[in-house]
Amino acid sequence: MMGIRWIAWALGLLALLPGSLLAPQNPDESGPAVVADFAPLRRALVLSISDNIFRSSEAAQGRHAFFASGLPRGAIREHAALVQLLKQQGVEVLDVRDLLQSALEQARQKGELQEWLRAHFPATAERAAARLEEVDADALLARRNEFFYAADAEGDFSPVFSGFSSMYWARDFAISTPKGVILGHSRHHGRVVENAVARLLFEFAPKLSDFPIAFDARREGIYLDGGDLIVLDPRTLLLGVGNRTSREAAPLLAKRLQMTVLAVDLPSLDAGGGLRRQLLHLDSFFNLIDDRTVLAVPYFLEKKYSDSHPLAGVLRGIARQVERMEELQPEYELANAEAIRATAEAIPAVGWVTRFEAGTGEAQPTEQKLVDYFRSRGYRVIMVGGEPNPEVRLPHLLERALYELRWQGANVVQLAPGKVIAYEHNVHTNRALRQAGVEVLTVPGELLSFRNGGPHCLLMPLVRKE
């Protein structure tokens, strides 16, 4: 039944598209590359993880890429298992390292590499320019000792290129859509350079020449992370806003791409409290499974819990207990009761959906939260941690729903309608998916998930269509 429903859904959407798109196409040809984020995955970008992950330091503080915490050694094995599984499932996997190598060669041939280096590595560009013919993908990725273990004029450590500590989260730097590629723009400097690398890839890598840039968040003056953007169908995008992605991104995308944008409120920068990390991106707590099924964290995305969210009660109780402990034991350093209470107060604002009309960007509040929005349209909702049990609400919330939310239970990547890859340790969510008839393939991810990302974060779907 699911296969028949998917075919009917796809044919119905094709009937709405321009006639030029109805002709048979190869993935490399022009036209929609990702028609929906549950459509069959044909091609994806990843950045393989190698021994350069050990080149980090926690002895210094700052936003410099080198100061990011390194990954455990076993993360290399976990990431390789995901890539192997993708290939076994017939997905063409393109490694960012290889694409970057070809893009650098093309940029060098066209005389544009030196200017690109000056723009994005201003502190070390002149040293790089002196060795311009040697600059390659491994140098930029901090995989070549002579570029990484370099010294400044005083003889102190000064890498020419420090690598990209987060670029293996390939979902974030760019997103393929029915209208072309959207280039992200991060709030954090280290990731801004990753966005610049993505721009270089899509401008110069020959294998990506058929994927036009439709929207560049940096040039539009807004912030946008790929984990916040989900392609619902050829005419509609879902976009998490307020945390890593600017609220202004939603109307801009609606205007520029001529697509309807459903903006979902995430914990805000100024009042998000501890929720900002747990609900980091939209795909941290919500994902599509097929054309009539979604996976979501319970409580946050339903209007009926706005004033009675069980987590709010937990947090308020903890805050009062901390304040009492401060009275009785003032000599000890304790948690910040005010910050805990602020997190509780931020919960009701999460999950509201605003529709931005294609072309005009006009805002239309739906007065619904995200799960309510999809349920009202006939979608089935599978809950992270499994369906809540009213009789054991708090144990379910703390031991299953929030636990597996933290360890990326919602962050599954879709291989086809009703078929996903998940981390094997999220046993309750995976069981709920299987009980609903979803095919769940698993990979190890306990080490990767420490950095707050799951399978959906680890690849950029480049082509999704029949």
Side-chain angles (χ1 to χ4, degrees), residues 188-205:
H188 303 294
H189 175 264
R191 306 213 74 181
V192 168
V193 183
E194 296 172 13
N195 299 142
V197 171
R199 190 175 299 108
L200 185 79
L201 296 179
F202 284 97
E203 288 181 350
F204 292 102

Side-chain angles (χ1 to χ4, degrees), residues 141-372:
L141 294 168
R143 299 180 184 184
R144 286 182 61 182
N145 287 352
E146 63 270 34
F147 280 89
F148 185 77
Y149 292 110
D152 60 17
E154 285 71 35
D156 293 326
F157 174 73
S158 179
V160 180
F161 303 113
S162 299
F164 313 117
S165 62
S166 300
M167 199 167 184
Y168 62 93
W169 302 120
R171 176 76 187 190
D172 286 334
F173 58 71
I175 316 97
S176 185
T177 78
K179 299 298 181 72
V181 172
I182 296 173
L183 295 179
H185 181 211
S186 177
R187 295 182 183 274
H188 303 294
H189 175 264
R191 306 213 74 181
V192 168
V193 183
E194 296 172 13
N195 299 142
V197 171
R199 190 175 299 108
L200 185 79
L201 296 179
F202 284 97
E203 288 181 350
F204 292 102
K207 285 189 176 182
L208 300 180
S209 61
D210 290 320
F211 299 91
I213 297 173
F215 187 95
D216 187 328
R218 182 177 185 181
R219 291 172 182 169
E220 295 285 350
I222 52 97
Y223 296 112
L224 192 155
D225 277 4
D228 279 325
L229 196 148
I230 293 173
V231 181
L232 178 59
D233 60 48
R235 291 185 169 184
T236 313
L237 301 175
L238 297 173
L239 184 69
V241 298
N243 189 5
R244 294 297 184 94
T245 294
S246 305
R247 296 187 181 279
E248 296 79 8
L252 270 176
L253 283 168
K255 292 176 183 177
R256 300 285 190 271
L257 270 62
Q258 300 287 309
M259 297 182 71
T260 298
V261 177
L262 300 175
V264 184
D265 289 334
L266 269 63
S268 65
L269 286 170
D270 56 350
L275 291 179
R276 288 191 58 222
R277 179 170 175 81
Q278 298 301 316
L279 307 179
L280 183 71
H281 290 130
L282 180 59
D283 70 354
S284 299
F285 58 90
F286 180 89
N287 261 299
L288 304 176
I289 301 299
D290 61 33
D291 65 310
R292 279 288 174 258
T293 308
V294 298
L295 174 65
V297 64
Y299 304 116
F300 289 93
L301 307 176
E302 298 168 89
K303 186 176 181 178
K304 66 182 180 181
Y305 294 114
S306 291
D307 298 323
S308 61
H309 196 295
L311 178 59
V314 169
L315 295 173
R316 288 193 299 266
I318 291 174
R320 285 193 295 270
Q321 191 175 83
V322 168
E323 289 169 340
R324 181 60 176 157
M325 291 170 66
E326 287 176 338
E327 294 174 5
L328 299 174
Q329 297 177 309
E331 68 273 22
Y332 295 114
E333 182 177 340
L334 299 169
N336 187 324
E338 184 177 344
I340 296 171
R341 190 170 283 110
T343 299
E345 293 172 353
I347 290 174
V350 172
W352 296 99
V353 178
T354 302
R355 176 188 174 98
F356 291 88
E357 299 297 335
T360 67
E362 181 182 351
Q364 300 287 343
T366 66
E367 305 299 334
Q368 291 179 304
K369 287 201 171 190
L370 189 59
V371 161
D372 302 323

Side-chain angles (χ1 to χ4, degrees), residues 52-105:
N52 65 304
I53 65 171
F54 309 137
R55 296 175 172 176
S56 63
S57 172
E58 293 185 342
Q61 300 295 321
R63 293 289 187 190
H64 194 286
F66 177 75
F67 298 147
S69 173
L71 287 170
R73 185 180 297 272
I76 298 175
R77 170 182 49 80
E78 292 181 348
H79 191 273
L82 173 64
V83 173
Q84 182 181 15
L85 180 56
L86 289 168
K87 292 178 178 179
Q88 290 173 347
Q89 293 298 311
V91 179
E92 181 184 0
V93 178
L94 303 179
D95 197 308
V96 168
R97 184 264 169 209
D98 300 328
L99 295 171
L100 180 56
Q101 182 64 28
S102 64
L104 289 170
E105 292 169 358

